[in-house]
Amino acid sequence: MIKQEVIDKVLETARIEEVVGDFVDLKKRGTSLIGNCPFHHEKTPSFHVSVSKGIYKCFGCGVGGDSLKFVMELEKFSYPEAIRYLADKYSIEIEEVERSPAQLAAQDKRESLYVLSAWAGKFFVEQLWKSEMGQVIGLNYFKERGYREDIIKKFELGYSPEEWTALVDKAQEAGFHPDYLAASGLAIERDDKSLYDRFRGRVMFPIHNLTGRIIGFGGRTLKTDKKVAKYVNSPESEIYHKSDVLYGLNFAKKAIMEEDNCYLVEGYADVLSVHQAGVENVVSSSGTSLTTGQIKLISRFTKNVTILYDGDEAGIKASLRGTDMLLEEGLNVKVLLFPDGNDPDSYVQTYGATAFKDYVKSHQQDFIFYKTNILLRDANNDPIKRAEVIRDVVESIALIPDEIKVSVFIRECSSLLDIEERILLAELNKIRLNKAKKADKDASRKAQTPANTGMPPFGMDGPPPDFFMTDDERAGVPAMEVTEQPAQLTAEILQEREIVRILINYGDYLATWEGDGDIPVAGVLLGNISDIEFKDKGAAFILKAYRDAAENYEIPDPKLFYSHADAAVSELAINCVATKYSLSENWNDDKRKIYVSQEYEHLKQLVVEAIYRIKKQKISAEMHHIREEMKQEQDIANLEVLLFKYQKLKEAERLLGGFLGNTIVK
């Protein structure tokens, strides 16, 4: 369990722009930072970070929170794991409590797989550096490949012993359940339910997620037997989905943002050699075809990708179609082919780091032009093949969402292909039209499918219920039951949320129009609505928190609500402070002599109207309730009582309406 003072220190130290900036390429816009949202796919940034408020908010999918909630949602961390991650980032010491096998077994499966993978990573590292066979076989192999010790340690390279159950035996001794050994892919289950190691006699490449947690492994055999697979990778698991992972990205993300470019290579060895050469903005698809998930990862940090192909033209042709996916996602793609059958790894080893950097800088070329030239070379003077090349190239250009780039490529390719621009444009429009028709048909078919429930995407109404923390996960902080929000936003609920918005943004401001002017706005609001209870679950919780604090003459810190376990509370709090637009720095300056007033300058009007409106709304709701009662009431005496109440409420409603319609607050 983590001490509360440590948690407080972590939350106070964490900077939202630094935490989010590790995962999203943020650009300055006005008083906010913006970038592409990591929680949903978008090409136009709608993800805002407010440094002054310490929050993030996506106006596309609706997610929002503070630093803690960001890492929890992005990496699906539990509360303690998110605290530990932030503590590690800011070098804040946390005293870890040793967990027993029983405690480990009681953890949820996903977290147990993370713990087991981290343990396995340390096991392989120890075998590499401390066992005789690890040093003789594994360590010597890495050093013969030219890898320095600092690179070997940085990437946590290791060695798996040749024995059938070396890891299985040690893991079970450490208290890990056999089911998790099989689920993680570290072990394989025989027919008799016994387990044996998957990565026997291999050098190990741990695969990390963006936050540096080990989620899988790649193992390379050092045997020359052709019957033995050269590489064995972890199978898919609850924490490892190879289509959403890029090897080395956790080490490369900072350099990618700084260089505004990502080098994409094929294998683990390429990443290590290029990284060692001083080029750290390099990642690998780990030998698999590039996927949409991997492209989305890259696009978080840059829009520029340079593919460093191995020197195998046949392999390049086979991958051209997959590379088109990068264009479709709006990325700028350049390619580079190494000479004489070299790949990035062998080129660095042969010619050195300086020659590698110079070659990459001088020989990379735009993907469209490269594709055009390589296909034309095969077509020669065959008119049929040339027509296929033209169509293939135009199909690639049609994927590009930027019309200016499309225009440039059409003009340049017209010259390369020796064909008029208008013909290329006609083919381009035909391809786009067919694509649009197909999309319309697919959308129509999907709309008619019974399985289409019309549920909003993740983020619109918060994460799924099983995301929220348990009592243990919150390290002693009680968890709230996830509340169910109203089916629709009524005027009554909107008024309740407006009260909460004022409390969160201006609760600690002084109500200068009240008494001696030393009463906070929160006190004025709470005092005037003491007889009102909220129906909206999130608003009701926040209102109660302010009322409880008021009893001790305190005002709660709004940050307490940003990472609350209940989505209704956290989302409402974030929505209350998040703003998509901010006043430009060009306004309110001495030069233009233009002054734009701010909301806080009209607090009296804001507060008074909010009180009147919610009272009027509650009166209207009560009047509706009485009308319904009167329809059912048969007793004359009771009817008279109801009518008397109704008339009094009607008079109050009229008075409030008059105030709202005519009162000018100075």
Side-chain angles (χ1 to χ4, degrees):
M1 184 176 291
I2 304 172
K3 292 183 179 180
Q4 185 59 45
E5 52 264 36
V6 176
I7 294 175
D8 293 341
K9 185 177 180 181
V10 168
L11 297 180
E12 289 170 5
T13 306
R15 302 272 303 172
I16 187 69
E17 71 275 19
E18 294 172 350
V19 174
V20 175
D22 284 343
F23 304 92
V24 180
D25 185 17
L26 297 171
K27 306 291 185 185
K28 178 81 171 173
R29 178 179 290 178
T31 58
S32 295
L33 300 170
I34 67 164
N36 286 330
C37 180
F39 299 105
H40 82 287
H41 181 48
E42 62 177 8
K43 296 176 182 177
T44 303
S46 59
F47 184 85
H48 290 238
V49 171
S50 172
V51 177
S52 60
K53 296 172 183 174
I55 63 167
Y56 67 92
K57 172 70 177 179
C58 177
F59 292 93
C61 68
V63 299
D66 59 3
S67 300
L68 181 67
K69 190 171 183 182
F70 180 81
V71 294
M72 286 179 67
E73 290 197 356
L74 189 67
E75 289 300 313
K76 300 298 181 289
F77 281 164
S78 64
Y79 186 89
E81 284 298 322
I83 291 293
R84 290 187 183 99
Y85 168 78
L86 292 175
D88 182 64
K89 175 177 174 62
Y90 290 99
S91 301
I92 298 172
E93 186 175 351
I94 289 183
E95 185 178 344
E96 295 283 355
V97 178
E98 188 69 28
R99 287 167 289 186
S100 67
Q103 288 174 315
L104 288 171
Q107 288 180 311
D108 64 273
K109 182 178 180 181
R110 183 182 177 85
E111 185 59 31
S112 294
L113 292 178
Y114 276 124
V115 174
L116 175 56
S117 296
W119 178 89
K122 292 178 182 177
F123 171 81
F124 293 136
V125 168
E126 286 184 4
Q127 291 297 315
L128 179 73
W129 292 96
K130 296 181 179 179
S131 74
E132 181 180 351
M133 295 304 292
Q135 293 179 32
V136 172
I137 299 176
L139 192 56
N140 279 340
Y141 166 78
F142 287 131
K143 290 186 174 181
E144 286 172 4
R145 292 295 301 263
Y147 304 141
R148 300 191 306 264
E149 285 194 3
D150 61 305
I151 293 296
I152 297 172
K153 291 178 179 178
K154 181 175 183 177
F155 283 82
E156 299 180 88
L157 306 184
Y159 175 74
S160 179
E162 183 71 37
E163 291 85 1
W164 280 90
T165 59
L167 180 138
V168 167
D169 293 341
K170 285 290 185 182
Q172 290 184 329
E173 283 177 21
F176 291 101
H177 198 282
D179 289 349
Y180 292 150
L181 286 166
S184 67
L186 288 165
I188 299 174
E189 191 175 75
R190 298 186 179 94
D191 292 338
D192 63 358
K193 303 300 180 181
S194 63
L195 299 174
Y196 63 94
D197 293 357
R198 179 182 296 273
F199 302 103
R200 300 179 314 283
R202 294 175 180 270
V203 288
M204 300 300 296
F205 301 84
I207 300 167
H208 302 80
N209 64 11
L210 273 175
T211 54
R213 298 180 106 186
I214 295 176
I215 55 177
F217 296 90
R220 187 193 192 284
T221 185
L222 302 183
K223 297 177 180 178
T224 56
D225 187 350
K226 292 184 178 180
K227 294 180 180 179
V228 177
K230 186 175 181 181
Y231 279 97
V232 169
N233 295 313
S234 292
E236 294 275 314
S237 71
E238 288 194 24
I239 62 172
Y240 176 57
H241 305 284
K242 62 182 179 182
S243 61
D244 295 325
V245 176
L246 287 164
Y247 180 72
L249 184 56
N250 61 308
F251 299 114
K253 59 190 178 186
K254 183 178 179 182
I256 291 172
M257 287 190 285
E258 290 174 350
E259 299 293 333
D260 196 19
N261 188 39
C262 175
Y263 289 119
L264 185 61
V265 296
E266 185 177 348
Y268 307 128
D270 295 323
V271 170
L272 294 170
S273 292
V274 175
H275 194 95
Q276 182 169 281
V279 181
E280 296 188 354
N281 53 321
V282 56
V283 299
S284 165
S285 58
S286 303
T288 63
S289 298
L290 200 61
T291 67
T292 302
Q294 292 169 334
I295 295 170
K296 289 178 182 178
L297 277 177
I298 295 173
S299 65
R300 290 190 199 175
F301 305 102
T302 184
K303 290 295 181 183
N304 304 302
V305 177
T306 302
I307 303 173
L308 306 183
Y309 283 121
D310 292 355
D312 177 5
E313 199 164 284
I316 294 171
K317 290 175 187 174
S319 65
L320 288 178
R321 181 61 62 188
T323 309
D324 280 348
M325 296 166 62
L326 289 162
L327 298 175
E328 193 168 14
E329 297 300 324
L331 299 182
N332 306 312
V333 186
K334 293 184 181 294
V335 297
L336 178 70
L337 179 63
F338 286 93
D340 306 321
N342 278 294
D343 57 24
D345 176 35
S346 63
Y347 194 90
V348 170
Q349 300 296 342
T350 304
Y351 300 101
T354 302
F356 173 84
K357 293 177 184 177
D358 292 341
Y359 187 85
V360 170
K361 186 176 181 180
S362 59
H363 287 78
Q364 58 183 328
Q365 57 181 301
D366 193 275
F367 171 70
I368 293 291
F369 301 146
Y370 177 81
K371 180 176 182 177
T372 303
N373 286 323
I374 198 172
L375 293 180
L376 277 178
R377 211 161 47 234
D378 281 351
N380 292 319
N381 295 319
D382 188 322
I384 305 273
K385 288 184 177 180
R386 284 184 67 85
E388 291 175 354
V389 169
I390 292 169
R391 189 169 290 107
D392 200 342
V393 170
V394 174
E395 282 180 352
S396 290
I397 297 175
L399 297 172
I400 301 172
D402 189 322
E403 291 302 324
I404 295 176
K405 293 179 187 175
V406 169
S407 177
V408 171
F409 284 130
I410 287 291
R411 184 169 62 251
E412 295 295 326
C413 287
S414 169
S415 176
L416 286 172
L417 295 167
D418 193 22
I419 191 170
E420 294 180 37
E421 277 187 51
R422 63 180 182 84
I423 297 176
L424 294 181
L425 284 170
E427 183 64 21
L428 176 77
N429 291 331
K430 186 171 74 172
I431 291 170
R432 285 181 166 178
L433 182 61
N434 290 335
K435 185 178 179 181
K437 287 179 179 178
K438 184 179 184 299
D440 288 343
K441 286 181 180 178
D442 291 343
S444 177
R445 191 180 301 113
K446 185 177 180 181
Q448 295 170 7
T449 303
N452 182 25
T453 62
M455 292 296 289
F458 172 80
M460 295 300 289
D461 286 317
D466 60 1
F467 161 74
F468 298 103
M469 317 163 212
T470 64
D471 289 346
D472 288 338
E473 287 176 320
R474 286 191 61 85
V477 181
M480 276 191 63
E481 180 182 352
V482 178
T483 53
E484 184 177 341
Q485 286 300 291
Q488 58 182 3
L489 290 177
T490 63
E492 187 176 6
I493 286 174
L494 289 173
Q495 289 299 327
E496 292 175 357
R497 293 185 178 183
E498 173 63 5
I499 293 290
V500 168
R501 187 185 75 83
I502 296 172
L503 283 171
I504 287 178
N505 284 283
Y506 308 114
D508 58 349
Y509 281 51
L510 292 179
T512 54
W513 64 92
E514 288 284 334
D516 295 330
D518 58 355
I519 301 174
V521 167
V524 175
L525 267 174
L526 296 175
N528 280 278
I529 62 170
S530 59
D531 58 331
I532 293 176
E533 296 300 326
F534 286 178
K535 291 183 178 179
D536 181 68
K537 300 296 185 182
F541 179 91
I542 294 175
L543 178 67
K544 184 178 184 303
Y546 272 86
R547 284 175 172 169
D548 291 346
E551 292 181 3
N552 298 316
Y553 302 99
E554 296 176 350
I555 297 174
D557 187 343
K559 292 179 181 178
L560 296 173
F561 307 120
Y562 297 162
S563 289
H564 199 274
D566 191 332
V569 175
S570 61
E571 288 181 16
L572 176 57
I574 290 296
N575 288 335
C576 284
V577 297
T579 53
K580 187 174 183 180
Y581 305 105
S582 58
L583 192 65
S584 170
E585 297 172 355
N586 295 326
W587 293 90
N588 291 349
D589 63 0
D590 295 334
K591 182 179 179 181
R592 290 176 175 78
K593 303 297 182 184
I594 298 174
Y595 183 77
V596 180
S597 64
Q598 302 295 308
E599 185 180 53
Y600 64 81
E601 298 177 72
H602 308 283
L603 267 184
K604 181 179 180 181
Q605 182 173 347
L606 182 71
V607 172
V608 171
E609 287 192 359
I611 293 170
Y612 285 168
R613 289 186 190 282
I614 197 162
K615 283 183 175 291
K616 184 175 181 293
Q617 189 63 49
K618 295 297 180 182
I619 287 172
S620 297
E622 181 63 22
M623 288 171 63
H624 174 75
H625 177 69
I626 290 176
R627 285 197 300 269
E628 293 301 312
E629 280 192 77
M630 291 171 68
K631 290 178 184 179
Q632 306 297 324
E633 185 59 61
Q634 301 295 321
D635 187 278
I636 298 298
N638 289 340
L639 271 173
E640 288 179 351
V641 172
L642 290 172
L643 184 60
F644 178 77
K645 287 182 179 179
Y646 186 84
Q647 288 172 340
K648 288 293 183 182
L649 290 170
K650 185 69 176 177
E651 183 180 350
E653 182 187 47
R654 181 182 60 78
L655 286 171
L656 288 172
F659 281 123
L660 288 169
N662 302 313
T663 301
I664 298 175
V665 182
K666 296 181 180 179

